[in-house]
Amino acid sequence: MSIKVPANGGSIEERERLERRIAQLCRYIGKSPWVFHVNTGSCNGCDIEIIAALTPRYDAERFGVKLVGSPRHADILLVTGPVTNQSLERVKLIYEQTPEPKIVIAVGSCPTGGSVFYESPFTNAPLDNVIPVDVYVPGCPPRPEAILHGVVLALEKLARMLKGEKKE
């Protein structure tokens, strides 16, 4: 079962609550969650919002949420774009290279349902047709608060997986 995140960002109080929850979860799982970003043919709107979530205004890196350069080091895969035919095999390979336990977050409208590329012969959206998805973050593009909310949901699921529960 996958989880959907509300599309609109919240207030300052909502953001502070998310930040506290990320800090609690990182302490609970005992390590910093490392994220690998995969662009499967997106317009880069979601990519910019992911970077905004890591830069000083939202600063997810202070909790240890770190963007890594290899899927072999990642706990979480952030996937953007409608999964074009050219990127299909690469996405599968990256998913296989990511060590267990792993969480996949579909960021934006393209990997969640195809958006304007829905039923295009050149895309393979939604992403869950290609690899299993744990958290969906809708929006075109989603706000950094929504991405952070998705990371919180992913960390909660990762904590349950590390505790020994089965992947839903």
Side-chain angles (χ1 to χ4, degrees):
M1 180 181 106
S2 46
I3 306 163
K4 277 208 178 207
V5 174
N8 294 332
S11 63
I12 292 173
E13 294 83 23
E14 174 76 15
R15 188 174 84 199
E16 289 171 352
R17 187 185 63 75
L18 283 174
E19 291 169 352
R20 283 192 305 275
R21 188 68 184 137
I22 289 173
Q24 289 170 349
L25 286 165
C26 287
R27 281 194 300 273
Y28 177 76
I29 63 175
K31 64 178 188 169
S32 298
W34 288 4
V35 174
F36 184 75
H37 173 236
V38 183
N39 182 330
T40 64
S42 73
C43 67
N44 297 330
C46 297
D47 305 334
I48 292 168
E49 297 300 322
I50 289 170
I51 298 302
L54 296 170
T55 54
R57 179 169 179 155
Y58 298 96
D59 200 13
E61 285 187 358
R62 70 186 145 158
F63 308 113
V65 178
K66 183 177 182 202
L67 207 55
V68 294
S70 170
R72 290 185 173 97
H73 300 154
D75 303 304
I76 300 171
L77 292 178
L78 288 177
V79 183
T80 60
V83 191
T84 62
N85 290 338
Q86 289 179 336
S87 66
L88 179 63
E89 292 305 315
R90 183 177 61 119
V91 169
K92 290 178 183 177
L93 180 65
I94 288 170
Y95 180 78
E96 291 169 6
Q97 289 176 345
T98 307
E100 293 288 342
K102 59 187 160 199
I103 299 290
V104 177
I105 304 176
V107 179
S109 297
C110 292
T112 32
S115 189
V116 296
F117 305 106
Y118 183 70
E119 294 186 342
S120 167
F122 306 107
T123 64
N124 300 286
L127 179 63
D128 60 3
N129 288 344
V130 179
I131 59 174
V133 177
D134 299 299
V135 179
Y136 292 93
V137 181
C140 188
R143 297 195 37 85
E145 294 95 338
I147 295 169
L148 288 177
H149 189 117
V151 169
V152 166
L153 294 175
L155 289 173
E156 288 172 348
K157 193 164 191 175
L158 185 62
R160 286 193 306 271
M161 290 167 65
L162 289 171
K163 202 166 84 173
E165 296 178 15
K166 291 184 179 178
K167 193 171 181 178
E168 297 172 358

